[in-house]
Amino acid sequence: MVEESRRYKVFAGSRGEHLAQEICNQLGCKLSRVNIEHFSDGEYAAEFAESVRGQAVYLVQPTCPSADNLLELLLMVDAARRASASSVVAVIPYFGWARQDRKDKPRVSIGAKLIANMLQVAGCDRIITLDLHAEQIQGFFDIPVDHLYGLNTFADYIQSLNLPDLIVASPDEGGSKRAAKLAIRLQTPMVMCYKNRAKANEIAEMRILGDVRGKNVVIIDDIADTVGTLSKAANLMMEQGAKSVRAVVSHGVMSGNACEKVENSALTELVFTDTLPFDASRCPKVKILSVAKPFADTILAIQEHHSISEFNQNK
């Protein structure tokens, strides 16, 4: 019988190397090599440095903008398929374009569906991802999607802080379900922010629905992009008498001047996972938690044909 470490191989794209190495550390295997060759005109190609014939291939790469990261993943999928891999699994810690999940105004694209189509046409047999912006994106795929949740990681961290007078907050109506699950897990009350946007990434108005006076507030969200909502919510909560405000977020996109906004805000700390590479020294208030273990556990469960629900509870 072929030993476990040789029945599958884990590779990483250029934006997935750090998390992929941590996943391999959890699995007790080496990170296999793939060469991404860049040409002077900006084109690039993917080539596996070792045989994948007859093996399950796991490709770790977030599809965050720019589109180069997505195309790099698609090229790796195609290369693995053409190299006779038995199966090709895209491990997408952060699924980019997920905020384009519906047609909410005339003549717009549904980017998340387009990305799902591209991954399937390229030859993916399965997707592993964490905290999609909208869970219904799983339905855009006609292949299995293992959707992991950061809830357990965040709950364990918050409980380790032993904060008194704890309350959970959602930064908007769309995140209320996520916040409610964390509140149930921590056995705390919950409040919600109501906001109106003037346009994308710009908030016109925000109100707190609920009482945060004398509370240590934990805001939970899926994406920290410009951090406008989080910083504004934290400032407003402190003005309304909160003891402290911290945020736990699945994906630290941190675009533009997000670090500056965090440092100048009332946030005590901003906690996110390592689904995207980020240099924490850029922002002293940032703390990064690893989600390598749930990804590694999922890979082993797939290899051994076990259920992932035992360690992937979302309640």
Side-chain angles (χ1 to χ4, degrees):
M1 180 177 179
V2 180
E3 63 185 63
E4 181 67 33
S5 63
R6 298 186 60 190
R7 289 198 286 122
Y8 64 88
K9 288 184 177 179
V10 179
F11 296 86
S14 57
R15 294 279 282 174
E17 290 180 357
H18 175 75
L19 180 57
Q21 185 58 66
E22 293 299 315
I23 291 171
C24 287
N25 292 343
Q26 292 284 335
L27 292 169
C29 69
K30 69 179 181 69
L31 178 61
S32 297
R33 291 192 302 112
V34 59
N35 297 324
I36 307 297
E37 183 178 2
H38 292 262
F39 304 103
S40 61
D41 64 352
E43 186 177 321
Y44 46 96
E47 178 187 6
F48 292 103
E50 51 197 89
S51 174
V52 297
R53 183 177 296 274
Q55 294 176 322
V57 171
Y58 293 85
L59 306 172
V60 183
Q61 172 80 332
T63 58
C64 50
S66 71
D68 287 355
N69 300 304
L70 171 62
L71 185 55
E72 192 176 298
L73 175 59
L74 293 170
L75 290 170
M76 289 192 294
V77 171
D78 185 68
R81 181 61 65 202
R82 295 178 187 278
S84 301
S86 64
S87 64
V88 181
V89 181
V91 181
I92 307 174
Y94 170 67
F95 189 92
W97 287 272
R99 285 172 281 187
Q100 299 179 42
D101 62 331
R102 65 197 183 279
K103 188 175 179 182
D104 56 355
K105 53 187 176 181
R107 300 175 297 279
V108 296
S109 62
I110 304 179
K113 173 58 176 171
L114 175 61
I115 303 308
N117 289 344
M118 293 170 71
L119 288 164
Q120 290 173 123
V121 169
C124 278
D125 294 296
R126 191 181 202 103
I127 304 293
I128 306 174
T129 190
L130 183 136
D131 282 342
L132 287 166
H133 182 66
E135 291 197 47
Q136 64 265 25
I137 290 172
Q138 296 172 77
F140 293 171
F141 291 90
D142 295 319
I143 56 177
V145 177
D146 291 307
H147 186 205
L148 308 183
Y149 300 98
L151 182 71
N152 294 330
T153 300
F154 291 138
D156 290 344
Y157 174 72
I158 295 166
Q159 288 173 330
S160 73
L161 299 176
N162 295 314
L163 294 171
D165 303 312
L166 187 64
I167 193 168
V168 172
S170 171
D172 51 35
E173 309 95 286
S176 59
K177 184 177 178 182
R178 185 183 301 108
K181 288 177 179 178
L182 182 61
I184 291 171
R185 172 70 183 271
L186 297 175
Q187 298 182 323
T188 67
M190 173 188 146
V191 298
M192 188 172 73
C193 298
Y194 172 79
K195 66 181 180 184
N196 283 326
R197 286 195 184 275
K199 57 183 179 180
N201 296 131
E202 186 176 314
I203 301 168
E205 176 192 15
M206 176 177 283
R207 296 197 300 268
I208 309 298
L209 306 180
D211 186 10
V212 296
R213 187 173 302 278
K215 302 292 185 180
N216 287 300
V217 184
V218 175
I219 305 172
I220 183 170
D221 206 355
D222 63 322
I223 300 172
D225 185 358
T226 63
V227 200
T229 296
L230 291 176
S231 57
K232 190 175 184 69
N235 294 342
L236 186 57
M237 288 173 180
M238 290 301 290
E239 288 172 9
Q240 295 188 6
K243 287 182 182 177
S244 69
V245 182
R246 51 182 33 85
V248 293
V249 180
S250 302
H251 310 292
V253 176
M254 302 296 283
S255 64
N257 62 342
C259 288
E260 181 181 345
K261 286 182 182 177
V262 170
E263 291 304 308
N264 293 332
S265 75
L267 283 168
T268 301
E269 64 177 348
L270 171 59
V271 182
F272 50 77
T273 73
D274 55 353
T275 56
L276 290 166
F278 182 78
D279 180 5
S281 65
R282 292 172 49 203
C283 191
K285 287 186 178 181
V286 163
K287 180 177 179 62
I288 300 176
L289 304 178
S290 178
V291 287
K293 189 174 189 308
F295 277 105
D297 288 344
T298 302
I299 290 172
L300 284 180
I302 292 170
Q303 288 300 120
E304 298 170 359
H305 308 290
H306 292 164
S307 170
I308 71 168
S309 59
E310 295 178 2
F311 60 83
N312 188 43
Q313 297 295 321
N314 186 34
K315 60 183 181 180

